Amino acid sequence: MRFAAPLAAAAASVLFGSALFVFLGLEPLAVLRTFFLSPFRDLYSIGELSLKVAPLALCAVGLAVGFRANVWNIGAEGQLVLGAMAGGGFALAFPDAQGAWLLPAMFVAGALGGMAWAALPAFLKVRFNTNEILTTLMLTYVAGLLLSYMVYGPWRAESGYGWPESEPLQAAARLPRLLDGTRLNPGILLALAVAGAGWLFVARSFIAYRMEVGGMAAGAARYAGFGRGGMVWVGLLAGGACAGLAGVVEVAGTIGKLRETISPGYGFAAIIVAFLGRLHPGGILLASLLMGIFYVGGEAAKVSLGLPTAIIGVFQGMLLFFLLMSDLAVSWRLRWRARRDPVAGA
Amino acid sequence: MPEVPERGPPLRLELQGIRKAFPAVVANDGIDLAVAPGSIHALLGENGAGKSTLMKIVYGVIRADAGRILWEGAPVDIASPSDARALGIGMVFQHFSLFPALSVAENIALALPATRDLGALSVRAREVSRRYGIPIDPARTVHSLSVGERQRVEVVRNLLQEPRLLIMDEPTSVLTPLAVRELFRMLRQLADEGRSILYISHKLDEVRALCDTATILREGRVVGRVDPRRESTRTLAERMIGAAPPALRRTPLDRRPRERLGVDWRALSPGGADGVGLRDLRFEVGGGEILGIAGIAGNGQSALLAALAGEMRAASADAVRIDGEPVGHLGVRARRRRGLVHVPEERLGRAAVPGMSLARNALLTACHHGLVRRGWLRPGAISAFARRCIDTYDVRCGGEHADARTLSGGNLQKFVVGRELLQSPTVALVAQPTWGLDVRAAAAIRSALLGMRNEGVAILLVSEDLDELFELSDRIAVIAAGRLSPARRIDEAGVEEIGRWMGGELPDTSAPERTGQDHAASP
């Protein structure tokens, strides 16, 4: 039943999406074909799909670590931005660096940047018991403004005709392309590796066990002496590190420089992906594939059918909504009347 | 006006061939029951014997699949509790249904149909409470009442409806011995007026003292109808569980044991579930000794256990000592590494994670017994530990991969007790170990505790069940309103005195020399 809910939610989203297309006067089958088949049309499209799947999976695997312990990190988007700034900024700080060490150093810097941004809410939560949902979300907007400040100011390129963009990163700071004729880069391999590590961590580490107890029964965690503070730190830092890596993948991969927008909402979509994947790294890979299809399919629908890109957001919203509904339906039964009339049946 | 006593037929209530099947179990299977007017009729049986189901059928909460209910000779159909009340059936539930924020009078008004005049209701409530010697004040708010007082409100609320049959579901489980005597006196008075009482219990002494008839249920069937006044506790128990109850043997201590757990804690801030703080905790428990802590729930037991287990830390390390080593500043896991184990009162959600397998639940507290190596789990060792626990303590379950929530209360408790005792402890904190368990499971757990005591473990046993405390403890103390009484040797402790202490009349312990009583047990 646990695994039926995501499938039911995906099916319901497609069904209601089709109804929406009919309402808009479109041929639903044609739209669905564009949505779900065009990402697999050719090698190039599959490469594009993997570019979407990688940051989604990275963010979601990290978020799931915290979510399992009821640590609600809503700010992966901001941690992704900080990771992009730290990793990209590192490359900008050493414009002459050409060694093979540069990319790994950028990823380390990006992970640390994401962790630093997640450490703030963790400290506030442990020290002052602030609500991490609010602090992580608010820091997302701070991160966006910080990035704007940097690309409008210190990082603005001389050659950029005044656009708020940095100089392009040097070749050594760029992820290589894996296949000719595509933009496929090793980001997807990083995502797979992180998902594998996440699976090992969740299934076999004592810390993850303690966090799972904390998430399933807070009373049992207190009884066993599993401190809450450690769970908050690990949960938020894992999310921050993974989101930071995703930020570096974007900057060093497809974008190649720092600019005002790095992510089309991967950090937020990853929250849906994490729950759709049942907080399990394997499930998250599948869920990020589905979410990636929405992104790529949505782009294709915009180009070939003239649909607005907001359709991607509509699909994401429906998916989350139906997932929550089917989870509810799995554990509860709807009854239309509270109780039988006491005289009837006498 | 009370019913005029009428002896002889017709019977007040008669059940014929009542049957109720649930998907997994037949709760009632062809039950016949006859309650005469003015009779105090015991319904006796272990947990799961079908007592509650039968009473819910009589009170209209659930419907029987088959069988007839006759009320004063005429067949009736009781489709809801309001039907039952209209006939004249009242029920006092084990868990009260009162609103804490409302006054006593308001709570009573809520249960009575079409009552708007609170003043007149208060007058009637006072009249009833005077007639039956049940002191209640209609103006007080319920949250300020003790559990015993709340029960009186429930009883008065029922009496205002002039019931001719009053069902009492395990009424004494929350009462002090004194309050139990008052309850019995009142129930006898009600019976003398011709009202019938159906008294549900598994406490044999009470049934023998109070009831004139007993119907004994086992596994959903009637296995005996007896006059409990002519039976011994032993014969009743044999009928109830279908075999002779296992005897426990507690050899008295020949000498004062060496201290293993020592406590010297000036003041404890309010904590735990009941929010009661503690003052002036000073006691010790020796190896091979059980110190029983009696007291009504909510008098500081949660804070005491949280403080000893390490969920609350003391300002000074010397506040708690394990084998002489100061551990007051240490948390739960550090104290556990020094040999402390803890069986808490709540089984699901605290002693065990409901949605996790037994193997993973074994890991909850046994993690420092070779189940984790360098931060990584060892699944083989974890399963082996869980299997050992299941085998040693006869836990009936679907194997070590069954979720904790699928076990019955008794089997889960055996697993929890086993998990703690298999860790070769030096000090064991045990709270309400047999609460709600059937006789057999309770006996298994008590004998496991006694076995550990005989192996030299220091056991602190917190319980509301005085019979259990007197059966197991070497010394007994009382916790009331956040204070702990001096400990008495069990052979010198009287139920009267312990009961008085439980009611809040503790002897003065503030002066150190007065604790000399405590040392009466010392050599």
Side-chain angles (χ1 to χ4, degrees), chain A residues 18-288:
Chain A
S18 309
L20 186 70
F21 299 141
V22 172
F23 184 71
L24 289 171
L26 294 161
E27 171 65 46
L29 277 179
V31 182
L32 287 179
R33 223 176 6 250
T34 310
F35 242 90
F36 289 97
L37 295 184
S38 69
F40 300 100
R41 192 174 44 201
D42 49 30
L43 215 52
Y44 178 82
S45 304
I46 292 174
E48 291 303 295
L49 182 59
S50 85
L51 294 181
K52 305 289 179 191
V53 170
L56 286 169
L58 277 170
C59 289
V61 167
L63 288 178
V65 171
F67 289 170
R68 290 171 82 97
N70 291 353
V71 175
W72 303 117
N73 179 4
I74 308 299
E77 183 77 1
Q79 291 143 23
L80 182 150
V81 166
L82 254 285
M85 287 174 71
F90 188 88
L92 289 176
F94 299 96
D96 302 325
Q98 297 296 336
W101 57 271
L102 184 59
L103 265 175
M106 286 167 65
F107 276 106
V108 171
L112 289 175
M115 284 165 84
W117 213 240
L120 282 169
F123 172 77
L124 292 171
K125 173 82 182 185
V126 171
R127 185 76 183 76
F128 303 110
N129 196 27
T130 54
N131 185 326
E132 76 276 16
I133 298 177
L134 296 179
T135 51
T136 52
L137 185 60
M138 291 192 293
L139 280 171
T140 295
Y141 300 107
V142 178
L145 293 170
L146 202 61
L147 177 62
S148 291
Y149 167 76
M150 289 305 283
V151 295
Y152 275 100
W155 282 344
R156 178 137 64 170
E158 316 250 318
S159 60
Y161 308 102
W163 288 101
E165 291 179 351
S166 74
E167 300 281 359
L169 301 186
Q170 63 269 42
R174 300 293 307 273
L175 289 172
R177 291 194 179 172
L178 294 180
L179 274 177
D180 287 338
T182 71
R183 299 201 294 161
L184 183 70
N185 68 37
I188 188 73
L189 302 179
L190 181 68
L192 287 171
V194 166
W199 177 80
L200 194 68
F201 176 79
V202 162
R204 282 296 168 83
S205 81
F206 189 43
I207 299 177
Y209 168 78
R210 297 203 304 262
M211 293 176 73
E212 196 178 345
V213 172
M216 290 174 86
R222 261 196 312 282
Y223 156 72
F226 301 160
R228 186 79 190 140
M231 299 181 193
V232 171
W233 276 107
V234 174
L236 277 162
L237 290 184
C242 291
L245 290 177
V248 180
V249 167
E250 287 308 284
V251 168
T254 43
I255 304 175
K257 57 190 158 197
L258 284 155
R259 61 178 194 209
E260 233 185 326
T261 45
I262 300 285
S263 146
Y266 291 138
F268 292 120
I271 299 168
I272 304 171
V273 168
F275 281 107
L276 199 63
R278 307 275 86 171
L279 305 183
H280 187 283
I284 284 171
L285 285 178
L286 291 176
S288 44

Side-chain angles (χ1 to χ4, degrees), chain B residues 62-396:
Chain B
I62 53 179
R63 292 177 76 86
D65 300 336
R68 290 210 312 164
I69 303 179
L70 284 88
W71 177 253
E72 308 198 314
V76 286
D77 183 81
I78 305 173
S80 73
S82 57
D83 286 5
R85 283 195 294 269
L87 288 174
I89 301 175
M91 181 155 178
V92 177
F93 287 93
Q94 204 174 353
H95 302 286
F96 309 140
S97 44
L98 298 172
F99 293 93
L102 299 183
S103 74
V104 169
E106 286 164 335
N107 265 291
I108 292 173
L110 279 172
L112 298 180
T115 318
R116 286 193 183 76
D117 186 353
L118 274 185
L121 193 66
S122 296
V123 172
R124 277 180 64 206
R126 268 185 228 282
E127 185 193 320
V128 166
S129 81
R130 195 165 47 244
R131 189 169 66 188
Y132 297 104
I134 315 168
I136 62 163
D137 178 359
R140 279 178 70 186
T141 44
V142 165
H143 72 80
S144 70
L145 303 181
S146 74
V147 181
E149 288 170 318
R150 288 178 198 206
Q151 187 181 52
R152 288 180 209 150
V153 176
E154 286 274 12
V155 171
V156 166
R157 182 154 95 167
N158 270 288
L159 290 182
L160 280 173
Q161 302 182 53
E162 298 288 340
R164 281 172 287 170
L165 171 68
L166 187 61
I167 305 171
M168 305 284 298
D169 188 4
E170 307 259 351
T172 60
S173 53
V174 291
L175 299 184
T176 64
L178 186 68
V180 169
R181 266 210 307 273
E182 282 171 14
L183 176 74
F184 283 9
R185 191 191 47 66
M186 180 199 76
L187 291 179
R188 288 196 187 98
Q189 185 182 348
L190 289 171
D192 289 343
E193 289 174 357
R195 301 177 204 275
S196 305
I197 314 282
L198 248 171
Y199 188 87
I200 306 173
S201 182
H202 60 244
K203 293 190 179 170
L204 305 169
D205 291 334
E206 286 178 3
V207 167
R208 287 179 58 219
L210 181 70
C211 303
D212 51 54
T213 322
T215 298
I216 303 172
L217 298 188
R218 185 166 75 228
E219 288 165 5
R221 294 164 181 273
V222 175
V223 293
R225 285 187 193 80
V226 296
D227 181 344
R229 294 165 298 192
R230 294 192 188 151
E231 301 277 330
S232 72
T233 307
R234 187 172 181 81
T235 55
L236 283 177
E238 278 173 11
R239 282 171 184 268
M240 196 163 92
I241 66 176
L248 288 178
R249 188 169 303 155
R250 187 174 58 82
T251 47
L253 294 172
D254 42 359
R255 59 189 170 78
R256 181 84 187 139
R258 190 172 56 86
E259 174 198 297
R260 298 207 89 164
L261 171 69
V263 181
D264 188 352
W265 204 320
R266 289 269 126 210
L268 249 165
S269 56
D274 49 22
V276 176
L278 293 171
R279 282 174 292 137
D280 295 325
L281 278 182
R282 209 178 301 119
F283 64 92
E284 73 289 332
V285 190
E289 178 187 53
I290 297 181
L291 174 64
I293 308 279
I296 300 161
N299 274 281
Q301 287 94 331
S302 338
L304 174 69
L305 288 164
L308 296 181
E311 287 169 51
M312 272 197 286
R313 300 180 198 206
S316 105
D318 289 324
V320 182
R321 299 178 304 274
I322 294 175
D323 275 339
E325 183 191 357
V327 297
H329 58 301
L330 298 177
V332 174
R333 290 170 69 200
R335 291 190 199 183
R336 278 185 171 274
R337 273 194 286 275
R338 283 159 180 80
L340 183 121
V341 299
H342 177 193
V343 178
E345 179 178 351
E346 310 97 289
R347 284 151 210 165
L348 277 181
R350 201 162 140 76
V353 184
M356 278 190 179
S357 69
L358 291 181
R360 280 172 90 72
N361 269 299
L363 189 57
L364 193 62
T365 65
C367 44
H368 53 275
H369 289 269
L371 307 189
V372 176
R373 184 190 286 153
R374 291 198 195 98
W376 296 96
L377 309 185
R378 300 178 61 201
I382 293 168
S383 290
F385 183 95
R387 271 199 304 274
R388 189 150 64 94
C389 185
I390 289 166
D391 294 343
T392 313
Y393 290 91
D394 186 29
V395 180
R396 309 281 165 83

